[in-house]
Amino acid sequence: MLKSKFFKKVEKFNGNFTQLEENSRRWEKLYKKRWAHDKVVRTTHGVNCTGSCSWNVYVKQGVVTWEHQSTDYPSCGPNMPEYEPRGCPRGASFSWYEYSPLRIKYPYIRERLWRMWDEAKKNTDNPIDAWESIVTDPEKTKSYKSARGHGGLIRVKWQDASEMISAMLIYTIKKYGPDRIAGFSPIPAMSMLSYASGARFISMLGGEMLSFYDWYADLPPASPQVWGEQTDVPESADWYNSQYLMMWGSNVPLTRTPDAHFMVEARYKGTKVVSISPDYAENVKFADNWLSPHPGSDAALAQGFTHVILNEFYNKKQVPYFIDYSKRFTDLPFVIMLDQSEVNPEHVTSGRFLRISDISDAEEVNAEWKPVLVDETDQEMVVPNGTIGQRWEKGKKWNLDLTAEDGHQIDPKLSFIDEGKTEVIDMPSFDAEGNDVFQRTLPYHEVTLKDGTKQKVATVFDLLMAQYGIARVDGDPYAAKGYDDLDSLFTPAWSEKITGVRKDMIVQIANEFAENAAETKGKSMIIIGAGVNHWFNSDMTYRAAINMLLLTGCIGVQGGGWAHYVGQEKLRPAEGWANIAFANDWQPGGARQQQGTSFFYFASDQWKYDELDNAAQKSPVKTISHSYKHPADYNQMAIRLGWMPSYPQFNRNSLSFVDKYNTRNMDELSKHVVQELKDGSLQFAAEAPDEDINQPKGMFIWRSNLFASSGKGQEYFMRHLLGAENGLLAKTNGNFKPEDMEWDDHSIDGKLDLAVTFDFRMVTTPLYSDIVLPAATWYEKEDLSSTDMHPFIHPFNKAVDPLWESKSDWQAFKGIAKTFSEMSKKYLSGVKYDLKTQPLGHDSQGEISQPLGEIKDWKKGEIEAIPGKTMPSLSLVERDYTKIYDKFISLGPNARGKVGANGFSYSVADEYDELKDIIGTYTDGIEKGCPKLDQDMNVAEAILHLSSASNGHVSQKAWKNAEEITGEKLADISAGQAEKQMTFRSITAQPSESIPTPIFSSAKHDGDRYSPFSVNIERNVPFRTLTGRQSYYLDHEIFQEYGEELATYKPTLPPFVMAPTDTHVEKADKEITLRYLTPHGKWNIHTTYQDNLYMLTLFRGGPTVWLSLDDAKKIGVEDNDWVELYNKNGVVTARAVVSQRMPDGTMYMYHAQDMEIEEPLSTITGNRGGSHNAPTQIHVKPTQMVGGYGQLSYGFNYYGPIGNQRDLYVNVRKLKEVKWNES
Amino acid sequence: MKVKAQISMVLNLDKCIGCHTCSVTCKQTWTNRPGAEYMWFNNVETRPGVGYPKKWEDESHYKGGWKLNRKGKLELRAGSKLNKVSLAKIFYNPDMPNLDDYYEPWTYDYKTLFGKESKHQPVARAKSQITGKPMKLTNGPNWDDDLAGSDRSFGEDPNMQNIEADIKGNFEKTFMMYLPRLCEHCLNAACVASCPSGAMYKRDEDGIVLVDQERCRGWRFCMTGCPYKKVYFNWKTNKAEKCTFCYPRIEEGLPTVCSETCVGRIRYIGVILYDADRVAEACEEPDDTKLYERQLDLFLDPNDPDVIDQALADGVDMETIRSAQRSPIYKMAVEEKIAFPLHPEYRTMPMVWYVPPLSPIMNYFEGKNSIKYPELIFPAIEEMRIPVEYLANLLAGGNTEVIKNALYKLAMMRLYMRAKTSGKDFDPEKLDRVGLTEESATSLYRLLAIAKYDDRF
């Protein structure tokens, strides 16, 4: 009963200003009810953000309501901040998708295709013929392909979709071969099972999985180049151990939201923070100093810093810590042969590493792979242990111990300056005008080669000091005259000229950075990211920055080193996962893995539009005999010499060779193949990518929005791969054709017969696909996730069952496999033999196949064509298409063998047997006795149980194998965790740190934070490079041709908007050309969340571009006005964000704003404006295709040309008219 | 003396990364329902900027908070309740943000994407959540994020008055910071005083300010009265709604959603004991620049035996007193004086406080002397980009001295810790100058940097 106000107890105080009343507060239960919930489920988000955060999802009456971060991470220790609470606003808004109108609830097929299919099936007696009748009819294919992207998808049953997919697969495999089927799914670490599902299916078919890390330009090619390591970086908590943090092109609060606090908090511990960013980015807020270099000039800034470091810390004084580090862990003491300069015959130029094979006749294993240095103690040339030569020497303990055979300690000599002899060296330089030559004074030493000739050599250290013009010799005319010397390259003054950063700042920051490293023994760190990595010449920039860290002994030190975060790499339980994902359990080595950038470069015909003038990128000091003008020709060379993979493989069905030659003997087959390749009767498919037989026909896309967020050169994809409406303004560049390729003047549009996409959101890729399948969300399935940012392996769990007709990817591919196998019994029965090519692989004998970095081309008759040595290796893989389903759902017997990575290998037979009891086995069929992989959770258990990062027993075996190989004590690193075994349930109960393993390079244990390369620095494990050390110098011929032996500044590609031959675009009254950059955005992770109502509401509700006040004024644009931007590659319409935090001359379109939300029509093309990728285009870099040579050998997602997308310009104008659908 | 307990919060703006996680988790939990679409109990603003609702700090327009009348007594800026009723203003309140000052909530025509074949690729266009019609997007709850549209928003930020004119439009002098905002749960809440229905109240046990959803009659004077514009009107239920300080969680011993989910780990929650008998007197301090200190004076030492006795006598239970003794808020606000109230000149005695941010050195100071004096590795306060005046306008009623002292303290703590972590000597005299000792500097460092869950909440 409500009491009358007059009888209530009232108390007054605060000078009668306040009164206390007693009232009913029963209404307060209202918000308590809202807070009430039924259960809380731990899961995470499988989005390539590197976060891998642990979330609690709240469920009320069977409905997902909201999500909050979990806070129960194991402690980082009493004196460190914790990981809790990891998460960001994007993740916090995920539950919106669950029931959103954007959700794909059912399977869909393109209506036009469905009608043809329905009709064809009535007219033929089997689905294979029905499919054939459609795809061989040009009118029909044009009809359904040109409808891609226009809507018109109709709902079908899962079984209908599986049948059409299977018909396409069977027809394609029979007619063209399995390698015309491609799978694209990126970043396995973000949801390992999902990746593995399709990868396993496609690998069993013999189709190719396309790489993504290099294609995304997230791979830093500098990492394989310098360390022979794909990427290894500290966990974010290790930032806290740093005493000097540089954030360089990495906007930590935005792109590492859950980790940013470690950087922020480190400041209170006294860590200095420097931000290097062209705009006033979010991270600048936390910096003590902000340096704002011109976009793309970062290498010049690094060189300015390096000049100061070399002069202050190697020339004016010597820091024992730095010197010792340089001698033991870098290639600085190794000697390089000096050649005669091609520019000035009286000058020298730098060549390749001197090997023991050059100077000694003595019988020596792998002599051409053993570079030498001079031992200071006896001035003798010596091969220290640890080089790649010893790595592949049987019986040799391979380590960095400098004990010589006679027991004395080798003291690597850094410099020949004490010998008093100098030469003038010609070195290459590059600027906006092109290439140039400069001279320096270089101390040298003379050796006698085994043929008796005299050879001048210099150490890498002396070359480096010379490059930077450090004055070491009195009266040196070529040295820099001080930091203010504007005429000498690489001085702070020169750097200021290029970068716009004041030279006194360069001097100050370089001094602080190195002084800090000297005081703390290497605790200076550079957090570096996409802002630097996504450029054409990013490897040179990275190497320039890494050199700063090498010179100051920071790599391999806790709190120091490089911290590259671009893409969610580091799939921690790697061995178990790889076994399942690539079906090695059934067919070891049978999977095809293709380099993504090259695949798309050819498949979307971007090679025919390439305009890149290679000459400007090359060194004027050195020419080589295997030189080309067109970048595509380098790719062809890389394919035939076994450097890079190439699928589709040959212009012939790979299943046809055994029948044609009527043999399964590999030697015989090889002989035939070699002969046919030599005489030209057999071609690599990539030589004529436009021919029908060489085209990819079917593509599976899952966990990806390939046609928008990852489609560099989106409009080329739309036109050539899909045959859809597009905004391409460029015309093919017939004036610039590759030498080694076949050119078709016709435009080949719509190469793909069937695009199949699995997704839970209707975005660009499903819109342009023919079959769209409803995927379960991250709150509806079991899976695993890990990242380099933290050491945990997190589970996905079902908060609710898959909604509507959605399925987990594992269940979806399982279902397709079943239909496919059953149909194969009828239409594709019998065992097939698939002839598979494979490039020369890193961490295998293949990496020492092509010695001395010299190119020998069998096609030109320079060397015998030997598979696996001078060309790709060949192997035969058995494929029984009727058994794919049985194999898919079981862990095959080969998993009961050895696993490993990076050259380590160990048995998991015991673990395989244990798994039988953990997840059960089958009782009949070929899968009899094999552990069951039919359910998602079983797959997770298998991955965890078979991997060294999640099973302590396996970790111990792995370290013991590493001990055997290196002869160093290592197994103690994980000894304390030998009994630890993660299970899916245990990591659901609480996050758990992964166990140290030699397949990653941290030696940290006992609560230390993960620190890459510490196993090399602390435990003498060699780097997987030519010298076994960290590389400043790369001597392969192509690196010499491009002037990239040492890191140096190369300008961004020249401004290029439209070619005269391209579609004419009438210029607007007010129009300017701006640099076009696509940094990662705040309100989306790739295209995920960019369509989420919360994220759209929290900024401007659709595609935007950022530009400076002055640039906006120039084109009469005010904040929030619509603008149109275009170049030859495509057109984007978006609203302008005008801000003073933007520098003049540069426009940002934050990455991955898709084209299905608030994107008006273009007034230029009349079609829908494109995504952020519309103005982009692929440019492949030849140095990134080198192979068969030490660390420059192929690995999937390890080496290959990157799909860079920053060296671009657009014209910008006001959008004349905002139109949406009509036209 | 009358001792009351107040649950309160400190946000360390120096750590805020501007990510808006707090806003999203709060919204998902509390306001994702019809009638509340535009409500953000918690929002984050980029500064300089206009905030949400637009220009909420312009009290000459919105008439929020208190002023002193000619007699020096407190009076609602918008006029007293009696005044409203007698002048029939109750039926017409002009001093209120309208929908456009917040923003018109929108969604998209997503289902177009599943439609029939069309001439061009289908696209989901924005449409109003109110009218259902296609709409042009011109404003949102975070429209000027990260200095978006800065040419306009700089001029519209009242705190930018009296700041050097050449900062505006000058790329080289750019600065920004973030300001997360929620209800202040004021000691002298103007919203409560404004409510004609008696539906708003401040809870006796913890000071949380609530709108009784049964008694609210939708007059909306609270919206005017609140100078922070943190009371909203639900157009479906026709009731006022606001941040509840997550009382359903607080009552179970859990921190607020915005605090626990703050990935920058910037938020601290704790109990403050204060003298409720002197609130009005303190609010009547005539000098705006002294209001911060007057509020500080109200806070009582929870370890003082007299305070404890009085608190118990006034009905504060022992567990609450023990919480006040462990309170990180007391440490930051009272002991170290590094936290400040938002706009104390509104005279509401807000209880969500902020640690001001450090910022990068301004370019024209860079390089000066730093090599000669390596201890100058961090910027001096005078060289920082964010003008102290700006922070003082925001957090101290214009009192620059107290802000400077806090920034000196943070900077000195960094220098001390740098010396300590690299094994170097540090002159304790320097610490003394900013009111620190080795022990207090270390303990402050631990509270701000290590900041374990149990230390924050």
Side-chain angles (χ1 to χ4, degrees), chain B residues 238-257:
Chain B
N238 288 327
K239 313 265 183 194
E241 279 198 68
K242 61 178 286 302
C243 157
T244 66
F245 214 83
C246 287
Y247 70 80
R249 288 172 56 100
I250 291 285
E251 288 171 11
E252 305 298 332
L254 297 169
T256 65
V257 168

Side-chain angles (χ1 to χ4, degrees), chain A residues 28 34 112 268 282 1101, chain B residues 14 32 108 117 146 205 247:
Chain A
E28 286 183 9
R34 174 143 186 112
R112 289 198 197 189
Y268 296 144
E282 290 75 356
Chain B
D14 187 50
N32 63 349
Y108 295 84
E117 206 174 291
D146 285 348
E205 70 273 26
Y247 70 80

Side-chain angles (χ1 to χ4, degrees), chain B residues 54-280:
Chain B
K54 249 190 283 183
K55 297 196 274 184
W56 59 270
E57 289 154 296
D58 184 356
E59 302 307 346
S60 65
H61 174 62
Y62 287 126
K63 310 256 185 337
W66 303 89
K67 62 177 183 180
L68 297 183
N69 64 17
R70 262 173 289 170
K71 290 182 199 155
K73 290 288 167 196
L74 277 175
E75 191 176 281
L76 287 168
R77 194 182 288 274
S80 68
K81 271 191 259 186
L82 195 66
N83 191 324
K84 281 165 202 153
V85 177
S86 65
L87 295 177
K89 271 195 199 167
I90 199 159
F91 299 110
Y92 170 64
N93 178 2
D95 308 323
M96 226 173 33
N98 60 36
L99 188 66
D100 287 339
D101 293 321
Y102 296 100
Y103 68 103
E104 184 173 346
W106 70 86
T107 181
Y108 295 84
D109 189 12
Y110 290 110
K111 68 175 191 301
T112 315
L113 304 174
F114 294 84
K116 285 189 178 151
E117 206 174 291
S118 55
K119 181 162 171 50
H120 296 292
Q121 182 211 294
V123 70
R125 287 181 65 189
K127 61 177 188 184
S128 167
Q129 289 206 52
I130 298 187
T131 65
K133 295 201 173 117
M135 86 183 242
K136 208 172 147 184
L137 303 176
T138 55
N139 192 22
N142 185 37
W143 195 255
D144 57 4
D145 187 59
D146 285 348
L147 305 183
S150 60
D151 48 340
R152 194 191 63 252
S153 62
F154 268 52
E156 292 182 348
D157 180 342
N159 306 294
M160 281 296 278
Q161 309 311 318
N162 318 324
I163 309 282
E164 282 178 84
D166 69 335
I167 288 183
K168 197 186 157 193
N170 186 339
F171 174 70
E172 293 279 317
K173 293 191 176 180
T174 304
F175 73 92
M176 68 175 177
M177 57 179 279
Y178 301 109
L179 182 69
R181 299 207 302 118
L182 60 154
C183 168
E184 298 283 348
H185 298 276
C186 305
L187 300 184
N188 183 29
C191 57
V192 174
S194 305
C195 177
S197 316
M200 293 198 72
Y201 60 98
K202 185 169 180 66
R203 303 210 301 189
D204 188 42
E205 70 273 26
D206 54 17
I208 292 176
V209 175
L210 294 175
V211 186
D212 183 331
Q213 294 293 299
E214 288 170 4
R215 290 178 71 178
C216 175
R217 293 288 170 268
W219 294 115
R220 292 177 252 180
F221 283 102
C222 51
M223 297 176 69
T224 301
C226 174
Y228 301 97
K229 293 293 160 275
K230 277 293 171 190
V231 193
Y232 304 85
F233 184 67
N234 183 316
W235 56 272
K236 273 277 188 213
T237 63
N238 288 327
K239 313 265 183 194
E241 279 198 68
K242 61 178 286 302
C243 157
T244 66
F245 214 83
C246 287
Y247 70 80
R249 288 172 56 100
I250 291 285
E251 288 171 11
E252 305 298 332
L254 297 169
T256 65
V257 168
C258 58
S259 301
E260 189 177 76
T261 64
C262 173
V263 66
R265 308 166 90 244
I266 81 165
R267 297 194 188 215
Y268 297 77
I269 290 179
V271 172
I272 287 280
L273 301 182
Y274 70 102
D275 184 356
D277 255 344
R278 290 191 290 120
V279 172

Side-chain angles (χ1 to χ4, degrees), chain A residues 104-156:
Chain A
I104 296 169
K105 304 183 177 80
Y106 311 104
Y108 289 95
I109 292 184
R110 185 158 303 291
E111 184 176 2
R112 289 198 197 189
L113 179 59
W114 177 256
R115 292 197 187 286
M116 291 173 196
W117 171 248
D118 203 34
E119 194 192 312
K121 278 206 299 182
K122 282 178 201 149
N123 298 335
T124 57
D125 56 1
N126 75 63
I128 317 302
D129 293 348
W131 183 255
E132 180 175 24
S133 75
I134 296 170
V135 296
T136 52
D137 180 336
E139 251 175 62
K140 285 185 176 159
T141 53
K142 186 160 189 217
S143 167
Y144 80 83
K145 289 176 183 177
S146 65
R148 286 170 175 164
H150 288 260
L153 293 164
I154 55 167
R155 185 178 158 185
V156 295

